[in-house]
C-alpha cells in the first residue's frame, strides 16, 4: 500500500486539509499506516498534480486560508483499481521480538533491563487498548444503526482491539518467561 491510498480513503470518508489529514492519521489511520505531516503535504501536492484530488482555498475568520482537498473521479478509479489487487502477506518487523531473542546472549542485568522495557512496552499497549475501547464506545455506541462506511470503520477498529489484546497476551507470556530465567 502506498500513502496515496490511505489519503484517498481518508478524503473519501471526509474531505479536508493537509492539517486535518495529519490529525486523522494521528488518531486512527496512523496505527495502520504512518506518515509525517511533511509526507502528507508532499503526497497531496503530487496527487493534485496527477489529478487524483482537487484543492480548494477555504477562507477562515481570524486564521490563514486553508486548502481543502476532495477526491476526483480519477482518484476514485485509482483507489478502486488498488482495492481489486491482491494483497500479499506482510513481513512483520518487530524490534522487541529480536531483543527478546537476544536476551539469551546477555547477563542477568541485561535481562532485567529487558524485563523493564517489556513492562513499559506492555503498559503503552494497554493504554492504547483502553483508547481503542473508549473510542469504540464513543463512536459506535449502537452497532445496529451504523451505515456501510461506519460498519467498515468499526470492523477495522475491532481488528485493532483484537491485535492489542493478542499482543498483551503475548507480552504477558514474554514477561512470565523472562521472570522464570
Amino acid at each position: 500500500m502506498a500513502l496515496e491510498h490511505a489519503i484517498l480513503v481518508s478524503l473519501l470518508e471526509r474531505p479536508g486539509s493537509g492539517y486535518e489529514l495529519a490529525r486523522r492519521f494521528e488518531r486512527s489511520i496512523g496505527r495502520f499506516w504512518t506518515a509525517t505531516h511533511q509526507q502528507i503535504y508532499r503526497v497531496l501536492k503530487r496527487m493534485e498534480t496527477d489529478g487524483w484530488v482537487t484543492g480548494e482555498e477555504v477562507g477562515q475568520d481570524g486564521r490563514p486560508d486553508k486548502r481543502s482537498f476532495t477526491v476526483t473521479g480519477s482518484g476514485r478509479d485509482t483507489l478502486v483499481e488498488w482495492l481489486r489487487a491482491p494483497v500479499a502477506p506482510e513481513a512483520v518487523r518487530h524490534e522487541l521480538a529480536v531483543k527478546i531473542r537476544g536476551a539469551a546472549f546477555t547477563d542477568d542485568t541485561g535481562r532485567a533491563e529487558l524485563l523493564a522495557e517489556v513492562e513499559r512496552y506492555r503498559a503503552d499497549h494497554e493504554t492504547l487498548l483502553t483508547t481503542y475501547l473508549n473510542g469504540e464506545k464513543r463512536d459506535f455506541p449502537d452497532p445496529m444503526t451504523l451505515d456501510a462506511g461506519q460498519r467498515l470503520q468499526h470492523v477495522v477498529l475491532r481488528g485493532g482491539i483484537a491485535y492489542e489484546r493478542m499482543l498483551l497476551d503475548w507480552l504477558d507470556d514474554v514477561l512470565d518467561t523472562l521472570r522464570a530465567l
Side-chain angles (χ1 to χ4, degrees):
M1 175 170 78
L3 177 56
E4 290 85 349
H5 300 115
I7 289 173
L8 287 169
V9 168
S10 186
L11 289 176
L12 283 167
E13 289 176 345
R14 187 173 62 241
S17 67
Y19 175 79
E20 290 163 341
L21 280 169
R23 297 280 298 154
R24 288 182 216 164
F25 271 75
E26 289 170 4
R27 290 183 52 213
S28 61
I29 293 174
R31 286 303 301 166
F32 302 97
W33 196 264
T34 59
T36 65
H37 289 222
Q38 294 84 2
Q39 288 172 312
I40 291 170
Y41 285 107
R42 188 172 48 249
V43 169
L44 269 174
K45 184 176 182 177
R46 185 173 59 242
M47 291 171 70
E48 187 172 25
T49 300
D50 291 345
W52 294 3
V53 299
T54 58
E56 178 184 336
E57 295 295 324
V58 177
Q60 302 185 101
D61 291 333
R63 295 166 55 193
D65 292 351
K66 68 178 181 179
R67 193 157 177 77
S68 184
F69 293 90
T70 57
V71 177
T72 65
S74 175
R76 185 181 289 268
D77 291 345
T78 298
L79 181 66
V80 168
E81 182 180 327
W82 174 75
L83 289 171
R84 291 179 177 155
V87 177
E90 298 165 350
V92 175
R93 293 179 62 182
H94 202 289
E95 184 178 357
L96 184 62
V98 176
K99 287 185 176 198
I100 292 164
R101 287 187 62 162
F105 306 103
T106 189
D107 57 14
D108 288 343
T109 302
R111 281 193 291 278
E113 290 170 353
L114 179 60
L115 179 72
E117 174 57 13
V118 173
E119 288 171 338
R120 183 206 60 78
Y121 188 86
R122 188 195 184 290
D124 287 349
H125 281 277
E126 191 165 31
T127 299
L128 184 56
L129 175 60
T130 300
T131 300
Y132 284 175
L133 291 170
N134 289 337
E136 182 181 38
K137 287 178 189 171
R138 180 192 65 234
D139 297 338
F140 307 105
D142 185 2
M144 300 306 291
T145 64
L146 302 177
D147 65 26
Q150 292 167 324
R151 289 175 62 194
L152 293 170
Q153 290 173 356
H154 190 208
V155 76
V156 171
L157 176 60
R158 290 194 318 264
I161 290 168
Y163 174 79
E164 292 303 323
R165 286 180 171 149
M166 178 277 308
L167 185 59
L168 290 171
D169 286 345
W170 175 69
L171 291 169
D172 287 341
D173 188 20
V174 169
L175 289 169
D176 289 345
T177 302
L178 287 170
R179 289 178 181 129
L181 294 178

